[in-house]
Amino acid sequence: MVDNKLIDVTFKKYGLRKTSFRKNLFELFHNSLNSLSAKEISLRFSTSADKVSIYRALDSFEKSGLIHKVPDKNNLLRYSLCKSECTPNQHAHDHAHFLCSVCDETFCLDDFTLPSTKSHNGFLINDLKIIMEGTCVSCKSI
Amino acid sequence: MVDNKLIDVTFKKYGLRKTSFRKNLFELFHNSLNSLSAKEISLRFSTSADKVSIYRALDSFEKSGLIHKVPDKNNLLRYSLCKSECTPNQHAHDHAHFLCSVCDETFCLDDFTLPSTKSHNGFLINDLKIIMEGTCVSCKSI
DNA sequence: ATATTAAACGCAACAAAATTGCGTTATAAA
DNA sequence: TTTATAACGCAATTTTGTTGCGTTTAATAT
């Protein structure tokens, strides 16, 4: 369960309306160790949430800078909670993403440092991502 | 236009049947500077190619090691021609991928070296990709 | 050259993911 | 409390990719 104060502060910071659905969605992200797809979100809601609301909420959360897209093994839309430093315009994701070949989950490896380059052969680089594939900690030990 | 000898050699190497459709598809990849999605392929064929044939050919080309999946800005299946060193089992893609925010195209940056790590915090890394976003050379100069 | 066999084709149907439209409801601000 | 607007929820639609299956075509053996 997430503290009401955190919800207030967060929603205010990101300029989001506090509807009960979006508060639940935020809680879900907050309590999830890794990323979420629309389908996973749908399954985790007891009261069946409309998929359109899910998609629109995700879109809105992303635009505000609260969550960010992460890669997915099956090309699904998939999101993770942003770090507190992120703003709508500037995301501070200096971490790598890890896709587990066994469980298909996506993990953020927060402490993996990315190379910092601004351009390469005339290509202007605004954003650089590292995506790893392999076996995650949990699946390794099975 | 691609030389018939190249087609012969390539299809033999990768164990592919020389159907007229697949020869055209190979030519298309060979003449493309960057990557192709199923939709783009479809549009580039004058004689409307069946989409199922496109998907199956792409799958077959990929499995043989002739082409490889590249990331796409809109979560589409997207492929690029492999380097000659690639085999069905082992791909030698030590390059970064660049996604242009303006034209949505994906480019392979062949000479961008990737870090080589085999594990991180208990995660076993089989494959590591770098994806850059920004403005490509062509779009920059517009 | 011809027959054989197995892959590739092409069409229809299907499935999953995501989007659009629109009238209704709920939130934030005036 | 009123008002403007964002969010909701339902249906319908679009887009992307897949499966099934009978037919065709290419590679191999005869």
Side-chain angles (χ1 to χ4, degrees):
Chain A
M1 193 57 189
V2 171
D3 169 1
N4 276 326
K5 201 160 282 180
L6 175 59
I7 293 182
D8 285 356
V9 171
T10 309
F11 277 62
K12 184 139 206 173
K13 174 180 172 189
Y14 291 99
L16 295 165
R17 281 203 189 194
K18 282 188 292 177
T19 70
S20 67
F21 169 70
R22 292 186 179 204
K23 283 190 280 187
N24 289 335
L25 183 59
F26 171 67
E27 285 203 23
L28 191 56
F29 270 107
H30 200 263
N31 297 333
S32 296
L33 287 172
N34 30 320
S35 57
L36 294 167
S37 67
K39 194 179 186 180
E40 285 164 6
I41 290 166
S42 180
L43 292 171
R44 299 243 219 141
F45 272 94
S46 43
T47 55
S48 60
D50 189 76
K51 64 173 176 171
V52 178
S53 299
I54 295 175
Y55 283 112
R56 288 204 262 238
L58 289 172
D59 195 56
S60 151
F61 280 16
E62 195 209 3
K63 284 200 169 58
S64 75
L66 177 59
I67 61 176
H68 63 283
K69 277 187 192 163
V70 301
D72 176 85
K73 276 211 68 179
N74 302 112
N75 279 18
L76 302 178
L77 287 180
R78 179 176 286 282
Y79 298 86
S80 273
L81 211 54
C82 283
K83 313 196 126 188
S84 54
E85 303 90 71
C86 294
T87 65
N89 307 312
Q90 191 65 42
H91 285 260
H93 299 297
D94 53 346
H95 62 271
H97 288 114
F98 187 95
L99 282 64
C100 179
S101 315
V102 182
C103 65
D104 276 10
E105 274 291 357
T106 304
F107 302 83
C108 295
L109 301 189
D110 290 317
D111 53 351
F112 192 95
T113 324
L114 306 193
S116 59
T117 318
K118 289 280 160 271
S119 77
H120 183 81
N121 287 1
F123 289 80
L124 299 180
I125 304 166
N126 294 328
D127 187 53
L128 191 145
K129 297 191 182 79
I130 291 196
I131 296 172
M132 303 172 186
E133 281 191 48
T135 314
C136 76
V137 181
S138 327
C139 291
K140 193 181 63 175
S141 53
I142 293 175
Chain B
M1 194 58 187
V2 171
D3 172 359
N4 276 326
K5 202 160 278 178
L6 174 60
I7 292 182
D8 284 357
V9 171
T10 308
F11 277 61
K12 184 140 206 170
K13 174 181 174 189
Y14 291 101
L16 296 164
R17 283 205 185 191
K18 282 187 292 176
T19 69
S20 66
F21 169 69
R22 291 185 180 205
K23 283 190 279 186
N24 290 335
L25 184 59
F26 171 67
E27 286 203 21
L28 191 57
F29 270 108
H30 200 265
N31 297 331
S32 297
L33 288 171
N34 30 319
S35 57
L36 294 166
S37 67
K39 195 179 184 179
E40 285 164 5
I41 290 166
S42 179
L43 292 171
R44 298 242 219 144
F45 272 94
S46 43
T47 55
S48 59
D50 189 75
K51 64 172 179 171
V52 178
S53 300
I54 295 175
Y55 282 111
R56 288 205 261 237
L58 289 172
D59 195 54
S60 152
F61 280 16
E62 195 208 4
K63 285 200 168 57
S64 75
L66 176 59
I67 61 174
H68 63 282
K69 277 187 193 163
V70 301
D72 176 84
K73 278 210 66 177
N74 301 113
N75 278 20
L76 302 178
L77 288 180
R78 177 176 285 283
Y79 299 86
S80 273
L81 211 54
C82 282
K83 314 196 125 189
S84 54
E85 303 90 70
C86 293
T87 67
N89 307 313
Q90 190 65 44
H91 285 260
H93 300 297
D94 53 345
H95 61 270
H97 289 113
F98 187 95
L99 282 66
C100 179
S101 315
V102 182
C103 65
D104 275 9
E105 275 291 359
T106 304
F107 301 83
C108 295
L109 300 189
D110 290 317
D111 52 349
F112 192 95
T113 324
L114 305 193
S116 61
T117 317
K118 288 281 161 270
S119 77
H120 182 81
N121 288 0
F123 289 80
L124 300 179
I125 305 166
N126 293 330
D127 186 54
L128 191 146
K129 296 190 183 82
I130 291 195
I131 297 171
M132 301 172 190
E133 281 191 47
T135 313
C136 76
V137 180
S138 328
C139 291
K140 193 181 63 175
S141 52
I142 293 173

